[in-house]
Amino acid sequence: MTGFLLRRLLGIAGTLLVICALTFAVFYLLPSDPAAQFCGKDCSADRIVMVRQQMGLDDPLAVQFGRYVLGIFAGQTLGSGQYAVHCGFPCFGYSFQSGQPVWNLMLDRLPASASLALGAAVLWLLLGLSAGLLSALRRNTWVDRTVMVATIGIAALPVYFTAMLLLYVVVTVLGLMPYPRYIAFGEDPVGWIRNLILPWITLALTFAAIYARMTRNSVIETMAEPYVRTARAKGLRERRVVGRHGLRPALTPVATMLGMDLGGLLAGALITESLFSLPGVGKLFADSLNKADQPVIMGITLLASFFIVTSNLVVDLVYAWIDPRARLT
């Protein structure tokens, strides 16, 4: 198990390093000048040259990349002389727009993104697994056909359409919910739920439809295995046969997809956060794209990559614990 974990950790480190190199190269090889963006619109040509020197943009690209990677793990000093600023660990640089450390900006937005992602994940798992299992157990009946048609229709709805429809019907017409705004769980748990329920439903509907279809297909395939027929032949109750021998093995592909989806959502659901004006990482990413704030874009890209590869590691460890054969891969 130790060797398996070490191999996965080395793979994660290599993956993140490659992503970091590609992201760095893309943004620093673009025609736009980071020094001009940092300096502002009214900056003179001489001042831009000075800023380039202070930011180390005249150094070779490999030197800049090494300094950037080292700064993430050990911090770095940006600029020189009276303009020198020390950026502590972990250093992703400073925003061109606000001048704040990128790490602090992301850290301030993470609670909203985590609240949105985790709450929606619980909701879509409950809906998706229940619908998928019901459809599999009632295969080729009107229940099965109704659930599958509903999932196709829901999955086809764009996220922005679902969000706008919920806002119009629930908030504007019926007045059942306030217009969503983020409230920290520690401040008001009830308000936290009331303000996030519509974003949760928006995300959960699309994901639940996909998970329902996957669960249905996986359960049908598992229930046709010989060991399930053997369990029935032994006289086990159908509930136990379905729960222990049918559903549990069928959750393997669901766990894989959950790791990928949850890892991506922890780094921000861009469309949902923007539509509901939630101060999450996704909203920060959208705003940074509009303003071409390169340090923030690079930082969020690396953060998203970290969450995704870490989620994959967790899934691999769960597999290795359930099935020791996975440790050999």
Side-chain angles (χ1 to χ4, degrees), residues 19-20 156 233 274:
I19 293 174
C20 184
S274 298

Side-chain angles (χ1 to χ4, degrees), residues 38-235:
F38 181 80
C39 194
K41 295 182 179 179
D42 300 328
C43 203
S44 64
D46 293 338
R47 176 59 181 163
I48 292 176
V49 172
M50 185 182 302
V51 171
R52 286 187 60 84
Q53 294 175 349
Q54 292 172 350
M55 296 176 66
L57 297 177
D58 293 331
D59 296 333
L61 188 61
V63 175
Q64 296 183 50
F65 175 68
R67 187 164 54 232
Y68 182 78
V69 173
L70 183 62
I72 295 176
F73 297 97
Q76 62 175 313
T77 299
L78 303 174
S80 58
Q82 61 177 332
Y83 299 103
V85 176
H86 180 71
C87 181
F89 159 84
C91 179
F92 290 91
Y94 287 81
S95 168
F96 289 163
Q97 300 299 321
S98 65
Q100 299 181 43
V102 173
W103 174 248
N104 291 348
L105 287 174
M106 295 190 299
L107 205 60
D108 290 341
R109 302 296 187 101
L110 271 177
S113 293
S115 298
L116 175 62
L118 295 176
V122 172
L123 192 57
W124 86 57
L125 279 177
L126 291 174
L127 295 175
L129 295 181
S130 301
L133 181 59
L134 176 63
S135 184
L137 297 179
R138 299 291 186 270
R139 183 183 180 186
N140 296 329
T141 65
W142 68 270
V143 175
D144 181 24
R145 288 189 288 270
T146 301
V147 171
M148 288 301 99
V149 170
T151 57
I152 293 175
I154 293 174
L157 293 176
V159 173
Y160 63 84
F161 175 81
T162 305
M164 299 305 293
L165 181 64
L166 287 175
L167 285 174
Y168 176 73
V169 174
V170 178
V171 177
T172 305
V173 177
L174 300 179
L176 298 177
M177 294 284 181
Y179 190 89
R181 63 184 183 89
Y182 180 71
I183 298 177
F185 180 81
E187 296 179 6
D188 183 6
V190 176
W192 177 77
I193 295 175
R194 281 177 56 83
N195 283 275
L196 284 175
I197 190 65
L198 292 183
W200 285 345
I201 294 175
T202 300
L203 273 181
L205 284 178
T206 300
F207 282 98
I210 298 172
Y211 277 66
R213 297 185 65 84
M214 177 179 292
T215 302
R216 174 189 181 273
N217 296 335
S218 188
V219 169
I220 289 176
E221 182 179 350
T222 303
M223 294 297 289
E225 294 291 336
Y227 63 84
V228 175
R229 292 196 296 269
T230 303
R232 283 174 171 158
K234 290 181 178 180

